[in-house]
Structures are given as structure tokens and as C-alpha cells.
Amino acid sequence: MIEQEIQLMAYPTRPFQGQSAASRIHARRQQLLSQAYQIIAAEGWRKLTIHKLCAQAGLNKRYFYESFDSLDAMAAALVDDLAEELIGIGQNAALSGWQEGMDTPALARQVLDRCIGWMVDEPARTRLLFSSASENPQALEQRKTVIRKMARVLSTFSLQYHQAGEPLPIAHVGSALLVGGTIEAVMSWLDADVVVSREEFVEDIACFWVAVGDSAVSLSQSRGIGRALDAPGTGDPWPSGGG
């Protein structure tokens, strides 16, 4: 009984100032993730400690443990949150272009312009997500999971867009190639290894995406796989609710 009362004191469940306990926990979680991002972007993963994080967030350490088991768990959550934001931007861009009836090149340009825009407008989050995550083992594992998820989302969209009617191995291969290659290209562009304007960069990447997609369609047709692969589809490109 005493132990239960202590737990209730540590994690209140009653509304406070109009906010439920769950919403307050969520707000503190986001506050910690936001502050962790600021620290990592400025100083790197190795400078992040629970003490520093909570001090700069203005929160007691117990609030850290109501959302995370460890710094590693929080690092993975941070990578996941950033990735979900990027995936959402890509899905929204694809869906709006799909609904507007854009042709394939225009659709690719729109999706890539918005996704690459997110990545280059604030390079620190891109480096955290795809580069500096390697400094933290759990964040690195989450990064691998994130890239696989991005490839699955793209594969799901491409199969629906081309009305494949069935899963195709080449869709997964092509999606992995495009996602991984685009990430590396963006990192090179941010490091000034690729000297072109942002508009030219997006156009170049979009051309490669369309070329890979067209090649995948042609190869599938030559193998007698799938159906109606040359006709863009209609309806919801994520019928299951988001890939």
C-alpha cells in the first residue's frame, strides 16, 4: 500500500490546471527531446548527460525516468521522432501531388523538394539523424531501422502508384537504393562536396528517382511480373494507413 502511494506521488494521474497527467508527461518528454537535440547539435552526443539535460530543461531528474529508461533509449527516441517528421513531410507531399494529378517527374520533384528542404534548412538535425547518430550505439541501431522504414514507405507508395497488384522484390531494392543514395548525396551537398544550387540538386536527384523507377517498371515487365506497371494509380497511395 505504501509503495503504491509513493508511485502515485511520483507519477500523478490527476488533471492539473486543465491538463491531464498523460498530456503533461508528453509535454515533458518533448521538452527533454528538444533540449537533448540542442545539446547534441551544439556539443555532440558525448557531452549529453542526464544531469545536464535536466538542468537545461529545468526539470527534475525523475521526470527523465518517467519517459526514458536511459540516455540510450532517449537517443533512439530522438532519432525516431526526427525520422517520423521527415517521413510525414514526404508522405504529405506525395499525397497532395497524387491528388492533384501530377505526372511522375513533377511528383518526384515536389516530394524531394520538401524532404531535401527539411534536411538542408536545418543541417544539424540531418547530421544528427544520419551522421552523428553513429556516436551512440542505440541511436545507430535506430538509424538503421529508420532508413529501412523510409525504404518500405517508398516501396509501398511505388507499388500502389504503378498499380503493381503484388509485392515486387525490385521495388524494395530500388527504394533502398534511392533512400540510401539520396541521404548520402544530401550529406555530400551539405559538406560542399557537390557544388550545385539547391534547385539544381533537387532536379538532379528527382531525375535519378524517375529513371530508377522507369527502369524498375521496364525490368518487371520484361520478367512478366506484376500488372499494369506503366500506368500511375488512383486512390490512396497508403491504403493501410501510412506504410
Side-chain angles (χ1 to χ4, degrees):
M1 182 66 178
I2 293 176
E3 183 179 351
Q4 290 178 337
E5 290 177 353
I6 291 174
Q7 289 176 342
L8 288 172
M9 290 173 65
Y11 304 105
T13 58
R14 292 173 296 182
F16 178 73
Q17 294 183 346
Q19 284 190 311
S20 68
S23 66
R24 297 199 305 278
I25 290 172
H26 177 74
R28 287 192 290 266
R29 180 184 185 276
Q30 293 307 116
Q31 186 177 349
L32 288 165
L33 287 173
S34 177
Q35 190 60 55
Y37 167 72
Q38 298 298 328
I39 294 172
I40 295 165
E43 305 177 45
W45 290 93
R46 292 183 178 86
K47 296 295 184 181
L48 182 66
T49 65
I50 294 175
H51 175 78
K52 175 185 282 190
L53 174 60
C54 293
Q56 293 193 16
L59 294 172
N60 189 289
K61 285 184 182 180
R62 73 185 178 92
Y63 291 128
F64 176 90
Y65 290 105
E66 76 180 354
S67 294
F68 309 107
D69 294 333
S70 64
L71 273 178
D72 283 346
M74 190 221 64
L78 180 57
V79 167
D80 193 54
D81 274 17
L82 289 172
E84 286 298 321
E85 184 178 347
L86 178 56
I87 289 171
I89 287 170
Q91 287 184 316
N92 289 335
L95 181 58
S96 65
W98 172 291
Q99 292 172 338
E100 291 169 21
M102 289 182 176
D103 62 19
T104 304
L107 180 61
R109 284 194 300 271
Q110 172 162 295
V111 172
L112 287 163
D113 182 61
R114 295 186 187 176
C115 288
I116 291 174
W118 182 92
M119 295 172 75
V120 304
D121 286 344
E122 194 172 331
R125 63 188 170 194
T126 302
R127 297 186 191 284
L128 188 155
L129 183 55
F130 297 118
S131 178
S132 61
S134 60
E135 298 175 14
N136 179 283
Q138 198 159 339
L140 177 59
E141 284 303 309
Q142 191 64 21
R143 173 185 180 273
K144 294 176 182 177
T145 300
V146 159
I147 292 175
R148 286 194 293 268
K149 180 175 182 180
M150 289 178 175
R152 284 198 307 271
V153 169
L154 177 58
S155 177
T156 299
F157 178 84
S158 65
L159 289 170
Q160 183 72 6
Y161 182 78
H162 291 290
Q163 295 181 310
E166 61 184 84
L168 301 177
I170 195 170
H172 300 297
V173 172
S175 296
L177 174 68
L178 291 174
V179 168
T182 299
I183 290 169
E184 291 302 318
V186 170
M187 297 302 295
S188 293
W189 190 82
L190 288 173
D191 291 336
D193 292 335
V194 179
V195 186
V196 295
S197 70
R198 171 169 160 177
E199 291 74 20
E200 290 174 319
F201 182 68
V202 170
E203 181 73 21
D204 290 349
I205 298 295
C207 286
F208 282 116
W209 276 50
V210 173
V212 170
D214 289 346
S215 297
V217 168
S218 296
L219 184 56
S220 294
Q221 289 174 332
S222 71
R223 292 173 175 173
I225 303 173
R227 59 175 176 79
L229 287 175
D230 56 344
T234 58
D236 184 357
W238 292 288
S240 62

